[in-house]
């Protein structure tokens, strides 16, 4: 029986099926709408570092054929074959997307789904409707990603900008058409679509035109793979002993013509253009002339208007810079000292800066919002964004930690109750919280502290209430006592969080994570968190308060950690 997923839900692939040869089907349709369904193979930074792993109608498979486009079959608008154990180490996420080709919006689509089939049986399904979207023209439907194991996530995150916004999110860019300065050879048929991958994409295949692709040898299907059950064999899928298809054409349609744009491997990128910027002669302008040596007067034209002659056997003198030796206040004629045919650079623009690289927009480009389609997204080391529309669950955050929000978001006070206030005051683990609900994005931060999202998958972690910024309301939390006789009161307290969800921990500075050993000790004022399975014992070398007498070390109360391998502690470079 297929497991139903809601937007934002995640699961291990191994919990769904034991197989690694998967069929991924997408069904999406709307009145008068045409869709392009693709798969992006991303690296560990969620960037399209190798455009050969952009699998779509014009590039139907990855180099080692671990990702293959199968076409429409078994009731699916588009389908893929994914062989997990053949995916290279450099690819850590497969993002399945749908983009509108032409006019329209995602709010016009009817009921659709993304499903995973293994061994002929459907094991996972994410259903969606147009009511979940508004003006988006491209949407990320689901991800298969590696995080200590292969996992599946139902995303459902859209982009108003369509394919261009989608490519920019993954590190590519759609090139704008420009009039060529000189005649260029026509591109070969079947060229890739015109988008520029990041500058660190492998620059292979840039010099020679594409040669006819030889027919690869037959690739037998992986053991245990079976597409969805149907009366007829699926179209487009290579049967054992046959040659895999080189492309896919839906039934009753003709293959779309290849766009007349340069090959994607030879296309210029924003970071490192392959050709110098166009100029009047196609050459790099000479450097600015050097001024005359210190202490020598500027050379003046000789009597009668003749220029000064170089010394016998020497080189001609270098030209003087514009305005050198002129009288103060004398205006220079337009273009004085300028190389013929060269445009005058704008004031304040560094020499060699690309056109359009200046201005407020370019200066702030690196600080733009970073959407990833996840519920929790770290914008930078000190700012966190949570999308309340993914998962539909409220978020509990420390009061006053909201710095910005978008959409329809409600903030309400989250009281701890009478008993909770008593326990919080007695233990020092009281949390002043607010509940964030609605549809939108909330940005959280506090005093420029470093933020660290920790995703719990049914396990538990102990964190001091002072170091908690926000967490999913689905997590259970309670005050936990640490026994000890070396400090006044006889005990320390902390908060224990358990369940499925995310907790955001804040630290002063970059923390260090250490494994628990029998000789692991930490200052109770510097430790931030530890695994709930670890045993904690108060170890006091001096049973008097700090600085009570001359010569005190100031390290009177320490915590000793014990536990089986796999336990850890988190310590910050700061004492509260």
């Amino acid at each position: 029986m297929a497991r139903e997923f809601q937007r934002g839900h995640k699961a291990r692939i191994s919990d769904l099926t034991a197989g690694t040869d998967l069929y991924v089907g997408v069904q999406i349709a709307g009145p008068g709408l045409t869709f392009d369904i693709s798969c992006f193979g991303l690296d560990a930074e969620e960037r399209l570092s190798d455009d050969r792993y952009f699998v779509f109608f014009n590039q139907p498979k990855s180099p080692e054929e671990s990702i293959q486009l199968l076409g429409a079959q078994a009731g699916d608008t588009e389908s893929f074959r994914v062989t997990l154990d053949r995916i290279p180490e450099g690819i850590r996420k497969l993002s399945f997307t749908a983009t509108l080709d032409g006019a329209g919006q995602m709010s016009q689509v009817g009921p659709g789904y993304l499903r995973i089939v293994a061994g002929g049986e459907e094991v996972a399904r994410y259903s969606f409707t147009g009511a979940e979207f508004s003006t988006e023209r491209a949407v990320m439907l689901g991800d298969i990603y590696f995080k200590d194991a292969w996992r599946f996530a139902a995303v459902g995150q859209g982009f108003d900008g369509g394919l261009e916004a989608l490519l920019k999110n993954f590190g590519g860019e759609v090139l704008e058409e420009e009039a060529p300065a000189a005649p260029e050879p026509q591109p070969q048929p079947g060229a890739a679509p015109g988008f520029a991958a990041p500058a660190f994409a492998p620059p292979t295949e840039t010099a020679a035109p594409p040669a006819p692709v030889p027919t690869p040898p037959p690739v037998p299907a992986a053991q245990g793979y079976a597409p969805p059950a149907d009366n007829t064999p699926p179209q487009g899928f290579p049967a054992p002993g046959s040659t895999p298809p080189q492309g896919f054409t839906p039934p009753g349609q003709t293959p779309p013509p290849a766009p007349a744009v340069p090959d994607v491997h030879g296309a210029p990128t924003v970071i490192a253009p392959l050709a110098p910027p166009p100029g009047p002669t196609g050459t790099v302008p000479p450097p600015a002339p050097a001024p005359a040596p210190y202490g020598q007067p500027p050379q003046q034209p000789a009597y009668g208007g003749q220029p000064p002659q170089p010394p016998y056997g020497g080189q001609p003198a270098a030209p003087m810079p514009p305005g050198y030796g002129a009288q103060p206040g004398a205006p220079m004629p337009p273009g004085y000292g300028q190389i013929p045919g060269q445009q005058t650079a704008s004031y304040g623009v560094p020499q060699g800066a690309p056109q359009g690289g200046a201005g407020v927009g370019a200066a702030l480009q690196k600080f733009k919002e970073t959407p990833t389609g996840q519920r929790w997204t770290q914008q930078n080391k000190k700012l966190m964004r949570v999308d309340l529309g993914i998962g539909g669950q409220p978020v509990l955050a420390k009061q006053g930690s909201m710095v910005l929000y978008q959409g329809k978001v409600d903030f309400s006070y989250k009281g701890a109750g009478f008993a909770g206030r008593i326990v919080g005051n007695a233990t020092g683990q009281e949390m002043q919280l607010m509940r964030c609900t609605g549809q939108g994005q909330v940005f959280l931060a506090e005093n420029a502290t470093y933020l660290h999202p920790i995703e719990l998958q049914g396990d538990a972690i102990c964190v001091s209430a002072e170091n908690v910024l926000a967490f999913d309301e689905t997590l259970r939390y309670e005050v936990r006592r640490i026994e000890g006789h070396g400090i006044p009161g006889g005990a320390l307290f902390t908060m224990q969080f358990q369940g499925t969800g995310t907790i955001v921990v804040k630290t002063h500075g970059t923390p260090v994570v250490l494994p628990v050993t029998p000789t692991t000790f930490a200052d109770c004022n510097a430790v931030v968190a530890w695994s709930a399975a670890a045993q904690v014992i108060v170890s006091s070398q001096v049973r008097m308060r700090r600085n009570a007498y001359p010569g005190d070390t100031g390290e009177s109360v320490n915590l000793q950690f014990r536990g089986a391998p796999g336990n850890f502690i988190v310590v910050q470079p700061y004492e509260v």
Side-chain angles (χ1 to χ4, degrees), residues 447 449-450 452 466-467 506-511 528 572-574 576:
N447 297 332
T449 53
Y450 287 76
H452 313 275
E466 178 66 24
N467 297 98
K506 59 180 182 176
T507 63
H508 294 272
T510 303
V528 175
Q572 64 184 358
Y574 179 88
V576 180

Side-chain angles (χ1 to χ4, degrees), residues 11 29 69 102 122 140 146 202 296 324 326 348 384 390 429 432 472 516 536 555 562:
L69 185 71
E122 183 175 326
M140 298 184 297
F146 188 87
Q296 295 185 10
Y324 186 84
M384 184 69 59
I390 299 179
Q429 298 297 313
Q432 301 291 335
D472 286 318
V516 172
V536 187
E555 306 294 344
R562 301 175 182 175

Side-chain angles (χ1 to χ4, degrees), residues 162-539:
L163 177 62
E164 181 177 2
L166 189 64
L167 290 172
K168 287 183 178 179
N169 179 66
F170 292 143
E173 182 175 354
V174 177
L175 296 180
E176 297 181 358
E177 295 183 359
E178 298 180 357
E184 297 181 357
Q186 296 295 327
Q188 298 293 331
F195 73 93
F200 47 84
T204 59
E205 307 176 9
T206 57
V213 180
T215 303
V219 179
Q223 184 177 1
Y225 174 80
D230 198 1
N231 296 330
T232 59
Q235 301 178 6
F237 182 77
S242 63
T243 302
Q246 297 299 324
F248 168 71
T249 301
Q253 297 184 14
T254 59
V261 292
D263 189 357
V264 65
H265 295 287
T269 62
V270 176
I271 301 176
L274 299 180
T281 61
T283 60
V284 179
Y294 178 77
Q296 295 185 10
Q299 299 183 9
Q300 300 293 337
Y303 180 76
Q306 298 296 329
Q309 299 296 327
Y312 178 77
Q315 299 296 329
M320 295 298 104
Y324 186 84
Q327 296 295 328
M332 293 296 103
Y336 179 79
Q338 180 180 346
I339 300 175
Q342 181 181 8
Q343 295 181 356
T344 304
S346 302
Y347 177 78
V349 180
Q351 183 178 3
Q355 295 296 328
V360 177
L364 301 180
Q365 179 70 23
K366 59 182 179 180
F367 302 115
K368 290 185 63 176
E369 179 186 3
T370 307
T372 61
Q374 305 294 333
R375 177 171 170 85
W376 295 87
T377 306
Q378 193 161 9
Q379 302 298 297
N380 53 56
K381 296 180 180 179
K382 302 178 182 181
L383 186 64
M384 184 69 59
R385 189 193 82 165
V386 55
D387 193 332
L388 300 177
I390 299 179
Q393 296 292 335
V395 167
L396 299 180
K398 190 172 182 179
Q399 292 182 12
S401 61
M402 185 275 294
V403 297
L404 169 69
Y405 75 91
Q406 298 172 317
K408 299 180 179 179
V409 181
D410 295 327
F411 301 92
S412 59
Y413 172 74
K414 173 63 171 63
F418 180 75
R421 288 196 300 271
I422 293 178
V423 173
N425 291 330
T427 62
Q429 298 297 313
E430 183 179 10
M431 294 188 296
Q432 301 291 335
L433 301 175
M434 63 179 179
R435 177 184 282 110
C436 309
T437 58
Q439 296 289 329
Q441 298 82 37
V442 181
F443 293 77
L444 304 172
E446 187 182 42
N447 297 332
T449 53
Y450 287 76
L451 305 181
H452 313 275
I454 301 176
E455 182 180 354
L456 301 180
Q457 297 283 349
D459 45 354
I461 188 173
C462 294
V463 186
S464 175
E466 178 66 24
N467 297 98
V468 177
L469 179 70
F471 56 93
D472 286 318
E473 195 177 33
T474 54
L475 294 178
R476 304 185 302 274
Y477 59 96
E478 60 182 357
V479 178
R480 181 177 175 181
R481 182 178 180 181
I482 305 172
E483 297 294 340
H485 302 286
I487 57 176
L492 289 175
F493 298 90
T494 186
M495 299 295 297
Q496 177 173 307
F497 293 82
Q498 186 173 9
T500 301
T502 299
I503 176 175
V504 180
V505 178
K506 59 180 182 176
T507 63
H508 294 272
T510 303
V512 61
V513 179
L514 298 175
V516 172
T517 66
T519 58
T520 301
F521 296 83
D523 192 313
C524 65
N525 296 307
V527 66
V528 175
W530 61 85
S531 52
Q535 181 184 5
V536 187
I537 302 174
V538 175
S539 174

